[in-house]
Amino acid sequence: MADASGGCPGLVRLEVADPQRRGPQALLGIVGRVEVHGDDGRLVTLRDIPIVELAKQLDRWLIGITPDGPDFVYTSLGDPDVPGLVYFYRAPPCWRVGSVRAEEDREVVTSLRGVAAAAGDFVADVDRLVRPLGVDLPRFLRERSP
């Protein structure tokens, strides 16, 4: 059954919580809890994730996103041996969202619009949560560092 999302009706949400300063291992020293949710509930909970780093990588990906890719694969600068803590893979006409840490290779299948909305909402949520920690995220996102 086709719908406005091109036959990719799944919903995805990236939630962020518990921002804390933890020192130099994370970008700006801020880590938090990230949860990936789909239609069937929580897919995975990732603890002590450098949330500013993830927000920056998502923001850069969103700037150039088109229906033809590229995929998004989050690899923390502090843990380069674990690619795919969060990923969005193109699977035309849909996108697969998941994590290498999700149980049983569970994924959410959604539209590009759904992926872009989840990523944009995550960046906005990180901005709201790190302001009390003295971080101007919009300014930081526009800097050239990784």
Side-chain angles (χ1 to χ4, degrees):
M1 174 177 173
D3 60 18
S5 61
C8 311
L11 297 175
V12 65
R13 231 173 42 254
L14 302 176
E15 292 183 359
V16 58
D18 304 327
Q20 302 172 21
R21 287 200 182 269
R22 287 277 177 88
Q25 77 272 18
L27 198 56
L28 297 181
I30 300 173
V31 297
R33 185 180 74 239
V34 175
E35 293 184 353
V36 179
H37 291 264
D39 291 333
D40 294 330
R42 186 177 60 234
L43 205 65
V44 67
T45 297
L46 305 167
R47 299 188 190 292
D48 296 325
I49 297 296
I51 59 175
V52 173
E53 176 188 89
L54 176 55
K56 187 163 191 161
Q57 288 185 27
L58 282 169
D59 184 67
R60 286 188 175 172
W61 179 76
L62 282 168
I63 289 170
I65 189 62
T66 65
D68 295 329
D71 294 340
F72 174 81
V73 179
Y74 172 62
T75 304
S76 173
L77 297 172
D79 197 2
D81 295 331
V82 185
L85 288 174
V86 175
Y87 63 77
F88 307 149
Y89 291 139
R90 205 165 40 92
C94 303
W95 286 74
R96 294 181 359 246
V97 178
S99 170
V100 296
R101 296 218 174 126
E103 292 181 22
E104 302 173 16
D105 297 324
R106 290 179 51 214
E107 295 179 325
V108 178
V109 177
T110 190
S111 65
L112 175 60
R113 183 180 305 167
V115 169
D121 289 347
F122 180 85
V123 173
D125 290 345
V126 170
D127 177 33
R128 180 181 48 77
L129 289 171
V130 299
R131 278 180 196 239
L133 299 174
V135 176
D136 179 355
L137 189 64
R139 183 180 66 78
F140 181 77
L141 291 177
R142 302 303 171 230
E143 293 176 358
R144 291 199 166 269
S145 65

